[in-house]
Every structure is written in C-alpha cells, then in structure tokens.
Amino acid sequence: FQSKLIEISSVCHFVSFHHCCFLLSFLPKADIAQPHPGLEVLAAGLGAAVTDTIFNPLAMITVRLQVDRERRLYQNLRQCGTRLLAEEGILGLWHPGLVATWMRGFSQTGLRIGLYPTVKRFYTREGSGDTLLVKIGAGATTGAIGSAIANPIDLVR
C-alpha cells in the first residue's frame, strides 16, 4: 500500500509543480520560456506542500500501523483511520508531523523537481536535444542534491 501511496504522491507533486509554475508566471518580470531556477524550486516546494498536506492523514495512518507491529491497537488502515478520527479529531489526522513534512517536501521535492529543468538545460549540448543520458544525469544530480539536503529533515520527520 505504501508504495502505491508514494507513486500517487509523486504524480501529484509533479502536477502541482506545473500548476504552481503557471501561477508564479503571473509575477512581474516572470519569463515562462526561461524561468528563474529559484521560482522553479519555489513552485516545486509549494506543489509538494499542497500534495503533502492532502496526503498527510494517510502517511500518519501508515506510520501508526508500522509502529503497532503486533496489531494491538490497529487492525487495518480503515480501522486505524476511524479510530484516530474518533479519538483525536480531524486535526489529529492532519496536524502531527505536517510541519516536518512540509520542510522535507520543500527541501527534497522542491530541489529535485524544481532544479531538474535547469540542470537538464546545463547538461544539454547545443543541437543534441534531450537525450536519455541527459535526462538520467539531470535526474540523478537533482535527486542527489535533494536527498543530501533533506536527509537530516527526513530523520526528524
């Protein structure tokens, strides 16, 4: 279940990144054809924050299920969610860990997705286009940068 949640969350990060880029393009002096890397990182970070806010209750439930390995408190996903909602309310599902999740989303996803276009342009030779090697290199570079910065935050989360 958790792997499917991560896949859905990654797709939502990418989609919300493009929506935030569109919204930020209305800022004065914003160039859509060649956006500033800082704006792209900001857009990716905002997109990650929106997505992480939506998916935080599911992440919260999966953490509770992982901690309760013997299944003494929670039997399954639905029962865990229902019990948390009844005992802690709607904010009990959303609030715990949300700030740390935002910090991780801004650092890891913001850098990984936001810097990708800039790094890809940097790796692209004139006239060579977007080759598979350029895409792999750009993805590996931005993934490494995002992971290196977000790893300490991920431990706190």
Side-chain angles (χ1 to χ4, degrees):
F1 174 78
Q2 192 168 10
S3 64
K4 292 292 182 193
L5 179 64
I6 291 170
E7 289 174 21
I8 293 169
S9 179
S10 294
V11 169
C12 290
H13 283 147
F14 188 70
V15 169
S16 56
F17 161 67
H18 284 290
H19 284 101
C20 288
C21 278
F22 174 74
L23 292 175
L24 289 175
S25 70
F26 291 106
L27 290 175
K29 298 185 182 178
D31 184 9
I32 297 173
Q34 190 81 339
H36 189 273
L39 282 178
E40 290 181 326
V41 170
L42 178 64
L46 289 173
V50 169
T51 302
D52 291 342
T53 301
I54 294 168
F55 283 100
N56 197 56
L58 288 175
M60 193 24 209
I61 291 169
T62 56
V63 167
R64 293 282 180 109
L65 288 171
Q66 289 170 350
V67 170
D68 186 28
R69 291 183 184 177
E70 287 84 34
R71 299 289 187 249
R72 293 182 185 172
L73 296 173
Y74 313 110
Q75 280 71 44
N76 56 37
L77 187 77
R78 182 183 300 163
Q79 188 267 339
C80 180
T82 304
R83 183 171 176 180
L84 286 174
L85 188 61
E87 291 175 0
E88 299 178 26
I90 193 78
L91 288 180
L93 279 175
W94 253 284
H95 190 263
L98 188 58
V99 174
T101 301
W102 284 341
M103 290 171 56
R104 180 191 176 274
F106 261 93
S107 60
Q108 206 274 343
T109 306
L111 291 171
R112 182 175 50 91
I113 293 176
L115 287 179
Y116 178 80
T118 302
V119 172
K120 190 171 80 167
R121 282 191 300 270
F122 176 76
Y123 285 157
T124 303
R125 292 186 185 153
E126 234 177 272
S128 67
D130 288 345
T131 64
L132 180 61
L133 190 59
V134 167
K135 291 177 182 179
I136 291 172
T141 302
T142 58
I145 291 169
S147 294
I149 292 173
N151 193 35
I153 297 169
D154 212 14
L155 288 174
V156 172
R157 190 176 82 103

